Amino acid sequence: MVQEKVIVSTRPLQWKCVESKADNKRLYYGRFILAPLMRGQADTIGIAMRRALLGEIEGTCITRAKSDKIPHKYSTIVGIQESVHEILMNLKEIVLRSNLYGTCDASICIKGPGYVTAQDIILPPSVEIVDKTQHIANLTEPINLCIELQIERNRGYRIKTPNNFQNVSYPIDAIFMPVRNANHSIHSYVNRNEKQELLFLEIWTNGSLTPKEALHEASRNLIDLFIPFLNVEEENFLENNQPKGNLPLFNFHGRLAKPSKTKKEKEIALKYIFIDQPELPPKAYNCLKKYNINTLLDLLNNSQEDLMKIQDFHKEDVKHIMDIFEIEKPFP
């Protein structure tokens, strides 16, 4: 556990972590401070950050299980201590971490007797288990247990519906949110006859992200949501007689085609265009993320030769990316 004394500063707006601890592999806690803020700003930021932390960050879950030996969700299997329903609930609790794009398949295939835990799940390279000791089932007899799993990366939560049931395939309630809880509190003080505020943010995560990583991800997602408003001078939809209910999609090319006033301003604009905004193919997206290319600025700072050095990345992928972003000139 790390704790630091909070010191009120009159310097420009800054943030720091004042407390950090891990109760176990699936429960992390962090407390952060942002100061100094003018009156009312702490509440504005706190409310927005809490909503972004709980609703805008992606997580990875097991969303479906399939086995030929499972006749019904509420049935029992000879040689397994838990019911099928209990096994599905245990699978729901498995905490995963990934840079997955969309869905992928995993499986469990083990022979009893013995305990089945999270470490027995056979995963693709892009997915890892946070706590390998998580319990799934107890095989009391020498039987084979084989379960096919579907893993998905998404945000928010999804409740299974009767329409999702297929032959020997059962959907699992998915809680994608890596942030389990988030609170904000405000401390007011007077500095040189001016009332100022301190914002405290408390974040609990499931271990797939640290609170600091969650704070960074939520901040980035908030920036993504506000980027279209930076373009209001170029895109006045109502004056162009566009229908209110059918606004055109945000155009990356519109921002790149019109040169910025300075090179620095252009770089700042490109820095906040993230590669996960357009419809990139899963393969290209995963390759770029592994190469630590997160923004359009990162992308343009690499030459075609640099991109070709990425494993499983080909010339056709480079051309596809240029078409998606509507980049007219080649990479440097």
Side-chain angles (χ1 to χ4, degrees):
M1 181 174 177
V2 180
Q3 285 188 318
E4 296 183 22
K5 185 177 180 180
V6 178
I7 302 175
V8 177
S9 173
T10 58
R11 293 178 297 175
L13 192 63
Q14 297 182 19
W15 75 275
K16 67 185 298 186
C17 179
V18 294
E19 185 176 353
S20 176
K21 64 179 180 179
D23 291 339
N24 54 61
K25 291 182 179 180
R26 287 177 281 145
L27 183 58
Y28 283 46
Y29 171 78
R31 190 165 181 249
F32 305 88
I33 184 173
L34 180 67
L37 294 164
M38 293 188 294
R39 184 175 181 180
Q41 288 182 337
D43 208 30
T44 301
I45 298 173
I47 293 173
M49 284 302 303
R50 185 177 185 277
R51 293 182 66 90
L53 285 164
L54 294 174
E56 298 295 329
I57 301 179
E58 292 186 344
T60 306
C61 289
I62 298 173
T63 57
R64 186 173 289 275
K66 178 180 179 181
S67 176
D68 295 334
K69 290 188 176 182
I70 301 178
H72 191 272
K73 174 186 171 183
Y74 296 104
S75 63
T76 59
I77 301 175
V78 177
I80 301 180
Q81 180 175 310
E82 292 81 1
S83 67
V84 173
H85 176 72
E86 289 173 326
I87 294 175
L88 294 177
M89 291 300 98
N90 290 338
L91 290 171
K92 172 185 174 181
E93 297 297 324
I94 301 295
V95 179
L96 302 172
R97 175 169 46 228
S98 79
N99 57 1
L100 180 68
Y101 186 93
T103 63
C104 69
D105 295 326
S107 64
I108 299 173
C109 194
I110 190 169
K111 184 176 182 179
Y115 290 100
V116 183
T117 61
Q119 68 177 352
D120 297 311
I121 302 176
I122 303 172
L123 295 167
S126 59
V127 184
E128 61 179 294
I129 298 169
V130 171
D131 184 0
K132 294 183 179 181
T133 65
Q134 284 188 263
H135 180 76
I136 297 176
N138 180 19
L139 307 185
T140 58
E141 297 182 14
I143 65 170
N144 290 320
L145 176 65
C146 293
I147 304 176
E148 297 177 22
L149 304 174
Q150 177 181 282
I151 294 175
E152 182 178 348
R153 181 178 174 87
N154 212 318
R155 65 182 183 180
Y157 60 89
R158 181 188 305 149
I159 304 299
K160 62 190 175 187
T161 62
N163 296 332
N164 285 334
F165 287 87
Q166 302 171 3
N167 292 333
V168 296
S169 178
Y170 303 95
I172 299 174
D173 291 341
I175 303 176
F176 296 105
M177 302 178 293
V179 176
R180 290 297 182 235
N181 195 13
N183 289 329
H184 80 278
S185 57
I186 302 169
H187 172 71
S188 300
Y189 64 96
V190 177
N191 179 33
R192 297 178 183 178
N193 297 324
E194 181 181 356
K195 190 171 183 179
Q196 294 184 330
E197 295 177 338
L198 295 169
L199 172 64
F200 288 92
L201 283 169
E202 292 182 289
I203 303 171
W204 291 262
T205 70
N206 65 358
S208 61
L209 287 178
T210 65
K212 184 177 180 181
E213 290 172 333
L215 185 63
H216 177 270
E217 187 72 15
S219 301
R220 198 190 86 168
N221 289 339
L222 277 177
I223 291 172
D224 288 351
L225 292 174
F226 284 105
I227 279 179
F229 295 109
L230 300 177
N231 204 36
V232 291
E233 293 182 0
E234 301 174 14
E235 303 286 349
N236 194 328
F237 302 132
L238 297 181
E239 289 184 3
N240 291 335
N241 297 320
Q242 295 284 351
K244 291 183 179 181
N246 188 26
L247 298 180
L249 295 175
F250 182 62
N251 194 330
F252 289 93
H253 178 68
R255 293 190 60 192
L256 298 178
K258 185 175 180 179
S260 302
K261 294 180 181 179
T262 66
K263 181 180 179 181
K264 184 176 180 180
E265 289 179 357
K266 184 175 181 180
E267 289 183 353
I268 291 175
L270 297 176
K271 183 180 178 181
Y272 292 111
I273 300 178
F274 296 94
I275 63 169
D276 52 1
Q277 291 180 353
E279 293 296 329
L280 276 178
K283 175 192 167 187
Y285 174 81
N286 289 328
C287 287
L288 292 175
K289 292 289 286 185
K290 288 180 181 178
Y291 201 66
N292 203 28
I293 296 176
N294 300 305
T295 68
L296 189 53
L297 181 61
D298 297 335
L299 182 66
L300 294 176
N301 283 337
N302 286 274
S303 66
Q304 292 191 43
E305 290 74 18
D306 293 332
L307 296 178
M308 294 293 290
K309 294 177 183 177
I310 302 177
Q311 186 177 1
D312 299 326
F313 208 70
H314 305 292
K315 188 174 182 179
E316 294 76 14
D317 297 318
V318 177
K319 185 178 183 303
H320 195 179
I321 290 173
M322 293 179 67
D323 292 339
I324 289 175
F325 282 102
E326 302 184 30
I327 301 174
E328 296 180 351
K329 64 178 183 178
F331 294 94

